Amino acid sequence: MIFYGLLGAATIALACLVNREAVCRRGAGGTVTRRQAMNGAVLFTLFLIMAGTASLRIDVGNDYGNYVTTFHEIYVGGYVVTEPGFNLLVKLVFRLAGGENYLLVFGLFAVVTAVLFLKAMYDQSVDFTISFALFMLLGLYFRTFNTVRYYFVLAVTLYSLRYVLKKEYGKFILLILFAAFFHKSVLVVIPLYLIAALPWKKWQVVLGTALAVSLPLFQNFWMALVLKLYPSYQNTVYLQKDTGLEGSLMGIIRCAAVLALGLCAYRETIRDNKANLLYFKLNLLGLALYTCVSFLPLVSRFGYYLITAHILLVPGILKNMPETSESGKSLRNKKRIMYAATAGFCLLYFVYFLMTAHQEGVRVLPYHSWIFTEKEWLNGSFIF
């Protein structure tokens, strides 16, 4: 717990040194300025810390051992339910490594996932520092230690939002189809993101609300439909887990907090801001999912596709909040309260995450590294 706390504090402090505007500007004659070089060095250091910490872990994550078993079955040609792109990648890495070196697979996903998240936050956020702080304090980085293929495609979906905003839907769909070769649940974002990109009319909101209310009332029908779309959950232990509203509580609280922040400055920061409006709609869809579809096994996997945009929406609200209203009224105190409330909520959320990070479903604590682990871990004997 102390290690994660120090890691979060150190990386957020480093992120404070990043100035995106300075990086975008070139020096005389197109030369790179000292400030730009500093920013590049900080970003690279953040990448090394993120990718290194994830790559050096061993038996950290709720499904670490299951993945090692899956890697073995892929290698020997056994039956697996993972997607073909993932299977092909595992076979390729093992062939290049000359054997079942699963640490290389975990390391590869750690590197690519870190690059995609950093790239998305740097390019698409109006304030990289705030986005990165949310990425750490909301526990998103540490959750990447779980279900590596899922969090890889989650990073892809965050990156894909740029194409939705530009209305380059062909590129968006192709990117999501590529990600589906690693985790097919990502296909759900195609209709959801496109729905959020549409201009919502009142009758559409009413219809959508009615549909959301119908979900828990006819949950057997919707469960059967989901199982047809995702048959690998059929007859598994996941169906025996009663998620319920209690299991979705933290997602609901997080969506409600972002909703409250957005409503406080909707006119000033969301209504006429294309990007913020898209992310705000995704938050509404996420809130509806957590409250009305809590009966669905692993609902958080679908919910995170919608609420990960929080790390772009929150800085978009805070940074675009003016200090004076159109009528000339000072909004400085309101803006300070919004910043303070956001910081307080994120710190409390991080503390709660650390206190529960050892539990089933997360299990990213305690942290272990293969550098300090006995050799039998490295030859796979802990599984085989």
Side-chain angles (χ1 to χ4, degrees):
M1 185 181 295
I2 295 176
F3 172 68
Y4 285 175
L6 293 175
L7 180 65
T11 52
I12 292 173
L14 279 172
C16 291
L17 301 177
V18 174
N19 186 324
R20 185 174 180 274
E21 293 182 0
V23 172
C24 293
R25 292 194 297 267
R26 289 282 181 179
T31 60
V32 177
T33 65
R34 182 182 301 177
R35 178 63 182 176
Q36 290 170 331
M38 169 67 75
N39 290 335
V42 171
L43 289 170
F44 184 65
T45 303
L46 288 174
F47 161 74
L48 290 179
I49 295 173
M50 291 169 56
T53 303
S55 299
L56 295 177
R57 78 187 191 283
I58 193 165
D59 195 31
V60 177
N62 191 58
D63 51 5
Y64 192 98
N66 291 335
Y67 262 103
V68 176
T69 303
T70 299
F71 295 158
H72 173 71
E73 292 299 325
I74 292 172
Y75 186 66
V76 300
Y79 173 74
V80 293
V81 298
T82 47
E83 288 74 9
F86 179 77
N87 300 341
L88 181 62
L89 180 62
V90 171
K91 288 181 180 179
L92 178 62
V93 172
F94 281 3
R95 179 168 297 226
L96 293 175
E100 297 182 57
N101 193 329
Y102 57 85
L103 294 176
L104 283 179
V105 180
F106 284 119
L108 177 61
F109 274 95
V111 167
V112 176
T113 302
V115 168
L116 284 173
F117 271 119
L118 284 173
K119 178 69 172 173
M121 287 186 286
Y122 179 75
D123 288 350
Q124 295 160 234
S125 176
V126 298
D127 192 301
F128 174 83
T129 300
I130 298 177
S131 288
F132 187 85
L134 291 168
F135 180 68
M136 299 299 292
L137 295 177
L138 296 179
L140 185 56
Y141 166 67
F142 301 104
R143 289 183 183 276
T144 63
F145 296 174
N146 276 306
T147 321
V148 291
R149 60 194 177 96
Y150 170 78
Y151 281 94
F152 161 67
V153 302
L154 182 65
V156 172
T157 61
L158 187 69
Y159 184 88
S160 73
L161 284 170
R162 68 182 64 204
Y163 298 124
V164 178
L165 287 169
K166 294 177 182 179
K167 296 185 178 181
E168 297 178 354
Y169 299 126
K171 292 181 180 180
F172 163 67
I173 292 175
L174 287 175
L175 187 58
I176 298 304
L177 290 177
F178 165 76
F181 281 99
F182 294 86
H183 206 295
K184 60 186 175 184
S185 67
V186 73
L187 292 173
V188 73
V189 308
I190 294 179
L192 290 177
Y193 284 12
L194 294 181
I195 288 173
L198 293 173
W200 289 3
K201 299 180 181 179
K202 291 183 179 180
W203 69 267
Q204 293 172 328
V205 174
V206 173
L207 182 62
T209 302
L211 176 62
V213 172
S214 75
L215 295 176
L217 296 178
F218 304 100
Q219 57 182 271
N220 291 334
F221 167 78
W222 293 110
M223 180 72 76
L225 179 60
V226 169
L227 290 177
K228 287 182 180 180
L229 297 174
Y230 212 87
S232 60
Y233 281 145
Q234 190 76 50
N235 301 320
T236 64
V237 295
Y238 298 121
L239 297 182
Q240 301 172 7
K241 295 181 179 180
D242 184 14
T243 304
L245 288 175
E246 183 179 353
S248 302
L249 183 60
M250 292 309 298
I252 294 173
I253 291 175
R254 181 169 152 184
C255 288
V258 172
L259 176 61
L261 181 68
L263 291 177
C264 285
Y266 182 84
R267 180 181 300 178
E268 296 88 352
T269 66
I270 296 177
R271 185 182 62 182
D272 300 320
N273 187 301
K274 184 178 179 181
N276 286 349
L277 186 58
L278 173 65
Y279 307 147
F280 187 74
K281 290 178 179 178
L282 290 177
N283 180 66
L284 291 176
L285 291 174
L287 182 59
L289 185 70
Y290 279 117
T291 54
C292 299
V293 199
S294 59
F295 60 86
L296 194 69
L298 300 177
V299 65
S300 62
R301 289 195 178 181
F302 298 99
Y304 264 79
Y305 288 133
L306 298 169
I307 68 174
T308 301
H310 286 171
I311 65 177
L312 302 177
L313 173 59
V314 172
I317 294 173
L318 296 177
K319 292 292 291 185
N320 288 317
M321 181 65 182
E323 295 193 354
T324 57
S325 66
E326 295 178 356
S327 61
K329 181 180 178 181
S330 176
L331 298 175
R332 288 185 180 180
N333 288 336
K334 181 179 179 179
K335 188 171 183 177
R336 290 171 183 168
I337 292 173
M338 290 169 61
Y339 267 93
T342 301
F345 177 85
C346 290
L347 287 173
L348 290 175
Y349 194 100
F350 187 55
V351 171
Y352 174 82
F353 170 77
L354 292 180
M355 293 177 63
T356 59
H358 65 284
Q359 296 179 358
E360 181 183 358
V362 185
R363 211 176 70 77
V364 296
L365 279 175
Y367 181 82
H368 299 289
S369 171
W370 50 263
I371 294 179
F372 308 108
T373 308
E374 296 295 331
K375 291 183 178 180
E376 53 263 25
W377 280 86
L378 302 183
N379 62 26
S381 61
F382 79 106
I383 290 297
F384 310 114

